Amino acid sequence: MGSPEFIVNLRKKIGHDPLWLPGVRAVVFDAGGRVLLGERSDTGGWALITGILEPGEEPGPGMVREIFEETAVVVEIEHLLGIAAVGPVTFPNGDVCDFLNIEFIARHVSGTARVNDDESLAVGWFEVSDLPPLRPGHLACIQRALAFDGEPHFQR
């Protein structure tokens, strides 16, 4: 899928300058407690499924959309895990973004995990005890989901 059209249009005007964007990411668990991850095509690293909300899009449905678009997995959002500022992130093409990430815990409802667009090289379910290398923020998000007590995480 790549960047949403509204970002492509903004980038034509501002180049690689920093953007502040609404992001979503989810820790998706299957019935066996495994976590859904994608190997990103832009960086080659494994990560939680993430996305950028479209203008006016609600975060929960936007996250459900992103997960399906990238993995062909249908999920149900169970909890708001937290909200965090992430960045700056510099992408391989030179674009710089900071994200207001809205994080969720979700559960698998249906679908077999597979690469469903051009944003991932691979997708799959991983045992929590056998995760591939992840960026620190993604690993911390999984750890927060595993320890979730009903209280969303955010800086106070």
Side-chain angles (χ1 to χ4, degrees), residues 15-50:
H16 300 298
D17 287 352
L19 280 177
W20 176 245
L21 296 170
V24 288
R25 71 177 164 194
V27 181
V28 180
F29 292 108
D30 70 1
R34 297 178 301 169
V35 176
L36 180 64
L37 300 174
E39 184 181 18
R40 295 178 58 101
S41 60
D42 59 353
T43 66
W46 286 94
L48 294 169
I49 306 305
T50 64

Side-chain angles (χ1 to χ4, degrees), residues 94-153:
D95 287 351
V96 178
C97 298
D98 286 275
F99 295 94
L100 179 62
N101 259 6
I102 302 162
E103 303 169 338
F104 297 99
I105 298 173
R107 70 173 177 82
H108 173 261
V109 173
S110 64
T112 301
R114 64 178 170 84
V115 173
N116 204 37
D117 67 11
D118 60 357
E119 292 186 47
S120 299
L121 301 172
V123 298
W125 296 99
F126 291 83
E127 297 289 340
V128 174
S129 61
D130 193 27
L131 297 171
L134 297 169
R135 290 184 298 194
H138 287 246
L139 185 57
C141 192
I142 293 169
Q143 292 167 339
R144 285 194 303 274
L146 291 168
F148 187 68
D149 64 359
E151 181 77 20
H153 171 82

Side-chain angles (χ1 to χ4, degrees), residues 70-90:
E70 295 182 26
T71 70
V73 169
V74 176
V75 302
E76 180 177 300
I77 300 293
E78 292 189 322
H79 301 285
L80 172 64
L81 179 58
I83 300 172
V86 176
V89 176
T90 301

